[in-house]
Amino acid sequence: MGWKTLDDMDLRGKRVLVRVDINVPIENGTVTDDTRIRRLAPTLNDIRDGGGTPILLAHFDRPKGKRVPELSLLPLVPALEAAFGAPVVFCADCRGPAAEAALSALEGGAILMLENTRFHPGEEQNCPDLAAEIAALGDIYCNDAFSVAHRAHVSTEGVARLLPACAGRLMQAELEALEAALSKPQRPLVAVVGGAKVSTKLELLGNLVEKVDHLIIGGGMANTFLAAQGIDVGKSLCERDMLDTAAAILAKAEKTGCAILLPSDVVVAREFRAGAESEILPADACPADAMILDAGPETVARIARILDSAKTLIWNGPMGAFEIAPFDTATNAAARTAAELTRAGRLISVAGGGDTVAALNQAGAADDFTYISTAGGAFLEWMEGKTLPGVDILLRKRAEPAEA
Ligand code: ADP
Ligand code: MG
């Protein structure tokens, strides 16, 4: 591994600044879904068991550098205490005299939660002064928020530069899964990319054709690829200004030896609503007044055969307009095939993306996947092959001499 974990740190008597993502839904001052908080328990427990004092650093929503009372982290305290089984002391600033006073008054066994880091404009500007002030509160920096690792902010990058730094348990699991899926994959490696638009996933497609053995393209973006091959897609979602781009991706795939699979049959309908009449047609036979809303059964069978011979799968984007049945059929079938192969120990499967996670849950397949990333933008940037500042700094810190 290229980064340190909590196992590499001597935590005894140390103040550990832990960057977490606790953007949870709140209604009337109460947390309504504490999943994100509960997932942090292993990191917090390991720090406390090792004799360290956790100091939580987090942003909440987008206050844009101003103190916005509605975006305070204070209402999260009861949920944090319940999840971690420890007293949580809240400090109304993430820096300065207030934070220092809260820290020195902290009793053994308690956790300190600092206020929303984005109340300070310096946070998103990665201001060195703010980084130094926050770093002064801790002895060790631990990043457990992969979902913000694509941002070079004080709490994700600046503080890490100044202290011995490591990945928390969640970050560690995410990095290990992503490394197994794309950096050092067992081959054949297959990518499934779907969703609405080519334009939002251009860089991702460009990176994947260089790395994967098979690229399965589905969803609305497949229509753009079909159109690029001169096929009439009727009223389907299709980005006309992306036809050259799609053709260029196909040409690049030919050069790199990446086999592309596009739908050979499709499900079309005249309306996108529950119970709308639909029919299965060859991909090049969409009527002028109809829309392609899903891949057909022959395509589903071809996808299953590719998955069956694969060792690793990486998935972003649903195969069809999965929100409304029956246009969820191809997504469900591919998801269940991947889930079964994973359960049988024959496939490493990693998936991410807001709608993708929803679709895999809806298919009842998510629990069987090797890893489901809830990181959103960070997951996509990683799939695009970009350097994530929050991860990169951990890699660079690893190269530094061990802490005293
Ligand atoms: P993710 O959030 O996982 O990255 P996207 O946001 O790119 O995924 O894509 C999901 C959206 O794509 C869904 O709203 C789905 O309805 C839409 N979609 C998929 N296939 C089609 C299609 N054939 N026509 C129109 N929309 C589609
Ligand atoms: Mg989406």
Side-chain angles (χ1 to χ4, degrees):
M1 265 178 297
W3 50 85
K4 286 184 183 171
T5 71
L6 287 168
D7 301 318
D8 300 306
M9 309 313 245
D10 179 7
L11 300 162
R12 255 170 311 156
K14 302 281 171 59
R15 301 163 303 166
V16 186
L17 286 160
V18 194
R19 178 54 158 105
V20 294
D21 180 356
I22 44 180
N23 276 265
V24 290
I26 297 181
E27 268 167 44
N28 302 323
T30 313
V31 173
T32 53
D33 177 358
D34 66 349
T35 312
R36 275 203 161 147
I37 292 176
R38 281 186 289 109
R39 290 181 76 202
L40 294 164
T43 297
L44 281 258
N45 291 342
D46 285 354
I47 292 171
R48 294 169 68 233
D49 291 347
T53 300
I55 306 168
L56 304 183
L57 276 177
H59 77 281
F60 192 76
D61 214 324
R62 295 172 188 213
K64 307 218 167 107
K66 290 198 186 71
R67 181 169 287 276
V68 179
E70 299 76 49
L71 300 183
S72 171
L73 287 166
L74 179 61
L76 273 69
V77 168
L80 294 168
E81 291 189 322
F84 307 146
V88 173
V89 174
F90 180 78
C91 175
D93 199 353
C94 67
R95 53 157 286 279
E100 282 159 26
L103 191 55
S104 34
L106 202 67
E107 307 208 348
I111 295 168
L112 182 62
M113 171 83 246
L114 301 174
E115 182 59 290
N116 194 339
T117 51
R118 290 189 186 168
F119 282 1
H120 290 284
E123 159 73 338
E124 295 185 64
Q125 296 158 358
N126 206 1
C127 163
D129 293 342
L130 181 62
E133 274 191 287
I134 294 178
L137 301 170
D139 305 302
I140 291 173
Y141 172 81
C142 171
N143 193 343
D144 215 19
F146 180 79
S147 56
V148 274
H150 57 317
R151 308 281 184 221
H153 294 171
V154 160
S155 65
T156 61
E157 207 266 356
V159 176
R161 286 171 184 259
L162 304 173
L163 294 174
C166 70
R169 297 305 183 201
L170 271 182
M171 174 77 114
Q172 183 184 343
E174 183 109 23
L175 293 177
E176 282 167 7
L178 298 188
E179 185 155 85
L182 202 52
S183 314
K184 298 173 190 159
Q186 292 183 43
R187 291 180 184 272
L189 166 61
V190 178
V192 170
V193 180
K197 293 181 171 178
V198 176
S199 53
T200 60
K201 298 191 177 168
L202 264 185
E203 289 179 83
L204 185 151
L205 291 163
N207 183 42
L208 289 179
V209 293
E210 287 177 12
K211 301 213 167 114
V212 307
D213 303 301
H214 289 270
L215 175 60
I216 296 168
I217 301 176
M221 72 163 65
N223 303 335
T224 304
F225 280 89
L226 293 173
Q229 297 178 318
I231 292 172
D232 188 352
V233 294
K235 288 216 160 68
S236 303
L237 177 67
C238 174
E239 292 170 283
R240 304 277 161 202
D241 54 342
M242 283 283 140
L243 299 189
D244 290 347
T245 307
I249 290 169
L250 295 177
K252 185 174 174 187
E254 197 149 325
K255 259 199 221 132
T256 58
C258 166
I260 302 256
L261 182 137
L262 283 167
S264 49
D265 62 343
V266 291
V267 180
V268 307
R270 263 107 192 148
E271 294 166 280
F272 180 43
R273 61 163 177 84
E277 213 175 296
S278 64
E279 60 182 322
I280 295 159
L281 293 170
D284 59 1
C286 179
D289 63 344
M291 292 174 284
I292 299 173
L293 290 170
D294 198 12
E298 180 185 281
T299 306
V300 167
R302 289 167 67 214
I303 294 173
R305 277 200 296 278
I306 293 175
L307 293 180
D308 194 63
S309 66
K311 289 236 167 66
T312 309
L313 164 69
I314 162 164
W315 184 336
N316 169 258
M319 292 288 91
F322 76 100
E323 292 93 338
I324 295 181
F327 311 114
D328 57 349
T329 308
T331 302
N332 288 344
R336 288 171 193 151
T337 301
E340 261 167 51
L341 290 166
T342 308
R343 214 172 335 125
R346 293 174 47 200
L347 186 70
I348 293 168
S349 51
V350 173
D355 292 290
T356 309
V357 175
L360 296 182
N361 276 321
Q362 194 175 301
D367 288 346
D368 284 319
F369 269 60
T370 311
Y371 195 80
I372 300 275
S373 175
T374 53
F379 177 81
L380 288 177
E381 288 201 18
W382 166 81
M383 265 185 99
E384 290 166 358
K386 291 198 178 133
T387 298
L388 308 183
V391 176
D392 192 49
I393 188 67
L394 295 183
L395 296 174
R396 285 191 280 137
K397 294 297 283 197
R398 163 105 233 176
E400 283 180 10
E403 46 169 321

